[in-house]
Amino acid sequence: MKHRHRMPFGAQLLDGGGVRFRLWAPAAQALVLELRHGGGETWRAAAMEAIGEGWWEACVADAAAGDMYRYRLPDGLCVPDPASRANPQDVHGPSQVIDPHAYDWRRASWNGRPWHEAVIYELHVGAFTPEGSFEAAQHRLGELAELGFTAIELMPLADFPGRRGWGYDGALPFAPDASYGTPEDLKRLVDAAHALGLMVLIDVVYNHFGPEGNYLHAYCPPFFDAARQTPWGAAINFDGPGSRTVRDFFIHNALYWIEEFRFDGLRMDAVHAIRDDSTPDIVQEICAALCEGAQERRVHVVLENDLNQAHRLRRHGGRPLEATAQWNDDLHHAAHVLLTGESDGYYLDFADRPLERFALALARGFVYAGEPSAFRAGEPRGEPCNELPLPAFVSYLQTHDQVGNRALGERIDALADPALVQAVRACVLLSPHVPMLFMGEEFAASSPFLYFCDFGPDLAAAVSAGRRAEFAHFAAFSSGAAQEAVPDPNADESFDASRLKWEERGQPGHAEVLHATRALLQARRAHIVPHLAGTSTGLRSECADAVLRVSWRLGEAPGSVLLHLVANFAGDERRVPRPAGTRIHSLLELANGGAGMLRLARGGVYASLEEARDA
């Protein structure tokens, strides 16, 4: 089975042979296509024709897949294609013509999985394995599927400068970074995941381009709106003059990953930072395009949205009207404060009563659903979320953000009491939310996840200095010596330290966490997932004497069930009333609790399932 997404720009192989090259360059007075055949070293030039509204085109009859090409501006600057499908020589080099039909998909019948079955494993391709490649990652997928994961989420793959990076500084959104392998290697990874029953999501960045390798300003200034700024510079122009072409660029990018690479969904980075006052806005338009283009496939859109906009997650007849789910930072922040006591920055909003806030997040999703935020000087944050099904929330103890944005990249297992970390992890994995683990979390990996990049010399120096200055206001890094200890993002050592150590899976301390993770995922799959296809709502959350109790109703009557969860976060063991129903999992449950009572050690968790009385 062959798959190709047709785009109105970029290099497109023509059905009768040859290649059509098309670029939107409204500021260019002339444009030259430079082409190099196969493995040759000689460039030949062809003048491009202006075809109206800022578009330039050249059709080359003898061009073919594998050819290298670039565009030369009147001032002599040569630039890659912003819609390049591959850029083997990095973001400053020429683009390569790719034949999407060169890969023959083996799993043509794959149409995805229902969202309520999702258990997500977030990974960075470069740090996931020692080799740091698509091919090496493919060989690890079987272990994840066997453990109980049903989806992997790849951090951004858009071509970024240098040999290493998180991916959020991508400059060529259609080109998988060459340091990981070829487009065909990525397709093999997705195909292999589908063979194991794994969905594959890709993280996409539609709120900015990286600071190095973005040449759009040189020939296409309407791509940006200098009057509106984001944390990364001028906003992308989604609603001003010329914005239709800009919007189409990103809509095609979303469809490209789904149709040509057979991804099962997108995770859209920081949609709260997108500047767009149009109706529908670009997020809504992308979601609609994916819904229309998916046909019989299940395709999911997950948002990162600091605004907690519940309206983007609404359902009709059980189907999402816009996005499928949102990363639930509220639950993470409450859990992090509960485990570490840290209250700097956005953790301020969770510093008082963190256990109660964690329980509230488990019960309803958002902690801030319109309540005033102390971190935001009393401004209300979020929208009511009680009508949303709980699988609309992707919940976690850590992500690349929450680990990598720390000065030393420490994981939660290195910061907090292991028994309490495992208790919080159990609460998340046994909840009706869609749980997500960050790579290595399943065995309490010791390797940090540092911020790393590989910029050119001037930018590299600025990023290193800025990184250290960023943490200077923290007490732990107030001294010059402490600031110097912050790892340099551009150093090879920062990237190397962030690679997983797979041998830890069998070592003391790590093997026990891996065993516990497997048991939790087995309990979830056997007892909870079968009831998540319908609605799921929180019924109760309470905390007394440092013991958390949450109950949910899963499914619809008749046949709905009640899921009960009890967890002990006190300093010692507690005797608590035993929830009704059949036990589906317990952690650190002690014997002799007495009639109708539980004895839970510190960090103990107990979950049970009962038939709803009104079923």
Side-chain angles (χ1 to χ4, degrees), residues 85 124 133 168 172 200 273 345 347 357 408 485 502 504 537 543 558:
R85 279 178 161 91
H124 180 279
S133 66
Y168 297 94
L172 300 173
V200 189
Y347 292 131
R357 295 185 184 277
L408 303 180
W502 285 92
E504 289 183 340
T537 56
C543 300

Side-chain angles (χ1 to χ4, degrees), residues 62-146:
D62 62 346
D67 289 355
M68 308 300 293
Y69 69 101
R70 61 195 183 192
Y71 301 114
R72 189 175 75 231
L73 304 181
D75 63 0
L77 178 66
C78 290
V79 300
D81 186 348
S84 167
R85 279 178 161 91
N87 248 60
Q89 298 173 35
D90 209 6
V91 296
H92 301 294
S95 302
Q96 186 176 38
V97 178
I98 295 294
D99 179 5
H101 284 166
Y103 184 77
D104 192 7
W105 289 85
R106 295 175 298 161
R107 301 291 163 180
S109 61
W110 173 265
N111 66 356
R113 298 184 69 143
W115 182 247
H116 68 271
E117 296 179 358
V119 178
I120 305 172
Y121 188 90
E122 188 197 14
L123 68 90
H124 180 279
V125 172
F128 181 55
T129 64
E131 300 86 352
S133 66
F134 295 133
E135 182 180 5
Q138 176 183 330
H139 296 311
R140 288 286 182 183
L141 296 182
E143 298 168 71
L144 301 182
E146 183 275 332

